[in-house]
Amino acid sequence: MSTGPGADSAPAPTTPDIPVPPPRSSMFSSLRVRNYRLFFAGQVVSNIGTWMQRIAQDWLVLSLTGSATAVGVTTALQFLPMLLFGLYGGVLVDRLPKRRALLVTQSAMAVTGIALAALTLSGHVQVWHVYLAAFAVGLATVVDNPARQSFVSEMVGPDQLQNAVSLNSANFQSARLVGPAVAGLMITGVGTGWAFLFNGLSFVAPIAGLLLMRARELYAVERAPRGKGQLREGLHYVAGRPDLIWTIVLVGFVGTFGFNFPVYLSAFADDVFHAGAGSYSLFNTLMAVGSLAGALLAARRGTARMRVMIGAAVLFGAMEILAATAPSLWLFALLMAPIGMFGMTINVTANTSIQMGTDPAMRGRVMALYMMVFLGGSPVGAPIAGWITDAYGVRAGLAVGGAIAAAAAVTIGLVLARVGNLRLSVGWHHGHPQVRFVPRESGELATVG
């Protein structure tokens, strides 16, 4: 896929005393950049705290109300601001210095966690307090998500962007393995309030990392000036770029119909295999392990190619269809790892290709649209997945989700091939079958991504 007009618009710093690491293909090469290393270390601590708060928040609401619906309302309130204001957050991110914006958003989320901890530990917490805290975190996320995503390129530059994005995903998935386990021990040992306090204090790490960064070593990016019509300008920019719009559309289909794992996994654990909460935890753990492996493999790959994303989406859908027919709990559980791996490959490749293909002055708006589609898919898809599951069974629900994801990937791959004047070629290479896109006017292999 073409890297687009924005690929070369974030030049490396030219000041002689700035160390510019050469491009490397190692799995952790972007950690050689000091600013990114500080950012990564801060996120390790903060992500663990975030996962702890998610678990503690749901448990507290359930304890206060005894209602699963109330837990759903809490989750909806946390995602609602992104759905309502996500694009406006992108406009702000394009105008503001991203490091300063992140200092504000991270501080706001720290205050929210500490306030919720104080209410819980003092015994005065009520469910509306949790609702308000969830909505406040969601409001901060409107700016924090696109700022954090687009700030990565300013720390590492275009050569290390995929590696850094992949390591961010690996960081988050590692925290997904650690955070819930620590939260469970803390909730049963000392109570939910201490989990909230840990999360609030955990933001000290990323805030310190941002403050310790060397501004002169950041890659200069021109900020968008204030002006009318910038939201419309961002939408027109994406609409005029097939590589961006179709990537976002694919992520939307996969996220909406393929990523409804809370619905599917809990139903498989209870209704299909009759194995209880332990198997549900096992499914999530194995998927997190697969996601971590997918992120690390993407970090090692070093380039974001459209054909990798399309292929991963097809395999992701195929694995879901296969899992839907799994006759035993252990076969189903083992399939969670490749599902997690291919799902993470889609996310990392889409994220990197969009950032690399977007003009830096538009990156905040484009990433906000990407995150809005990605995060907004679950609230839309979950009720649909639940209806199919209730009406036809969870196996049908998972199979339909996988089939839609795979069909969307094949369709979008063919659309992009047509846009790029390519055709599908099936043949043999060193005794193995090979499927590839080649230019219509020649037999040479095209670089589709």
Side-chain angles (χ1 to χ4, degrees):
M1 180 179 66
S2 168
T3 53
D8 297 321
S9 52
T14 55
T15 309
D17 62 339
I18 298 175
V20 181
R24 296 179 184 270
S25 58
S26 67
M27 188 176 288
F28 303 101
S29 57
S30 56
L31 291 176
R32 297 174 63 87
V33 180
R34 180 182 180 275
N35 283 343
Y36 179 70
R37 192 163 60 245
L38 289 168
F39 177 85
F40 184 89
Q43 291 299 308
V44 169
V45 180
S46 181
N47 283 336
I48 291 174
T50 297
W51 277 106
M52 290 177 65
Q53 173 138 333
R54 286 187 183 185
I55 300 299
Q57 178 178 277
D58 291 349
W59 186 261
L60 177 60
V61 171
L62 197 60
S63 301
L64 291 172
T65 65
S67 168
T69 301
V71 176
V73 169
T74 308
T75 302
L77 286 171
Q78 194 157 328
F79 284 106
L80 185 62
M82 179 61 76
L83 291 174
L84 296 177
F85 312 118
L87 292 176
Y88 295 98
V91 172
L92 285 175
V93 167
D94 280 336
R95 293 176 181 174
L96 300 172
K98 294 177 183 60
R99 185 162 66 129
R100 294 180 186 175
L102 286 171
L103 284 169
V104 173
T105 58
Q106 297 281 295
S107 299
M109 288 189 279
V111 169
T112 302
I114 291 172
L116 196 54
L119 287 167
T120 306
L121 292 172
S122 65
H124 294 97
V125 70
Q126 299 178 36
V127 69
W128 71 267
H129 293 143
V130 186
Y131 287 165
L132 183 62
F135 189 75
V137 169
L139 284 175
T141 301
V142 167
V143 174
D144 186 81
N145 259 344
R148 196 154 30 86
Q149 297 285 336
S150 53
F151 186 53
V152 173
S153 64
E154 295 187 25
M155 289 184 283
V156 302
D159 292 335
Q160 298 285 0
L161 181 59
Q162 166 142 346
N163 184 266
V165 170
S166 303
L167 290 182
N168 280 353
S169 299
N171 186 328
F172 189 74
Q173 294 303 323
S174 299
R176 181 182 173 186
L177 293 172
V178 176
V182 176
L185 293 173
M186 189 169 286
I187 290 169
T188 56
V190 292
T192 55
W194 293 100
F196 295 137
L197 182 61
F198 181 95
N199 178 56
L201 296 178
S202 73
F203 286 99
V204 171
I207 291 170
L210 290 166
L211 292 173
L212 290 171
M213 287 182 184
R214 296 169 183 163
R216 69 180 185 276
E217 294 182 13
L218 294 173
Y219 286 67
V221 172
E222 182 181 355
R223 296 201 300 271
R226 288 180 175 272
K228 294 182 179 180
Q230 289 183 323
L231 178 57
R232 192 183 309 111
E233 181 187 14
L235 293 174
H236 286 167
Y237 177 83
V238 173
R241 293 282 306 280
D243 55 332
L244 299 182
I245 188 64
W246 288 112
T247 297
I248 293 173
V249 168
L250 177 57
V251 168
F253 269 102
V254 173
T256 301
F257 298 103
F259 272 43
N260 295 301
F261 298 114
V263 176
Y264 298 138
L265 300 188
S266 57
F268 266 95
D270 288 338
D271 301 335
V272 176
F273 299 120
H274 309 289
S279 61
Y280 178 63
S281 176
L282 174 65
F283 298 157
N284 280 283
T285 299
L286 289 173
M287 186 172 291
V289 170
S291 299
L292 177 59
L296 293 175
L297 288 172
R300 188 170 185 175
R301 198 159 41 240
T303 56
R305 295 189 180 276
M306 182 65 72
R307 61 178 176 234
V308 172
M309 185 182 70
I310 297 293
V314 172
L315 290 171
F316 173 83
M319 288 294 104
E320 286 201 333
I321 295 171
L322 185 60
T325 64
S328 69
L329 184 149
W330 287 108
L331 178 57
F332 181 85
L334 290 174
L335 286 170
M336 292 302 101
I339 287 174
M341 183 179 69
F342 291 128
M344 183 54 61
T345 301
I346 299 166
N347 294 342
V348 171
T349 308
N351 188 314
T352 310
S353 63
I354 287 174
Q355 291 205 51
M356 289 293 292
T358 302
D359 190 291
M362 290 282 185
R363 194 169 284 148
R365 279 164 282 184
V366 175
M367 290 309 298
L369 178 61
Y370 168 80
M371 295 305 298
M372 188 177 73
V373 170
F374 180 66
L375 295 177
S378 291
V380 174
I384 298 174
W387 175 79
I388 295 174
T389 297
D390 289 340
Y392 303 102
V394 65
R395 290 188 184 275
L398 182 58
V400 168
I404 291 175
V410 171
T411 303
I412 290 170
L414 293 174
V415 168
L416 288 171
R418 184 176 181 84
V419 169
N421 197 30
L422 305 173
R423 63 177 177 82
L424 189 66
S425 173
V426 181
W428 290 83
H429 182 70
H430 296 305
H432 299 287
Q434 185 177 64
V435 180
R436 57 183 182 171
F437 287 108
V438 298
R440 293 181 184 277
E441 61 273 10
S442 73
E444 296 180 3
L445 177 64
T447 300
V448 224

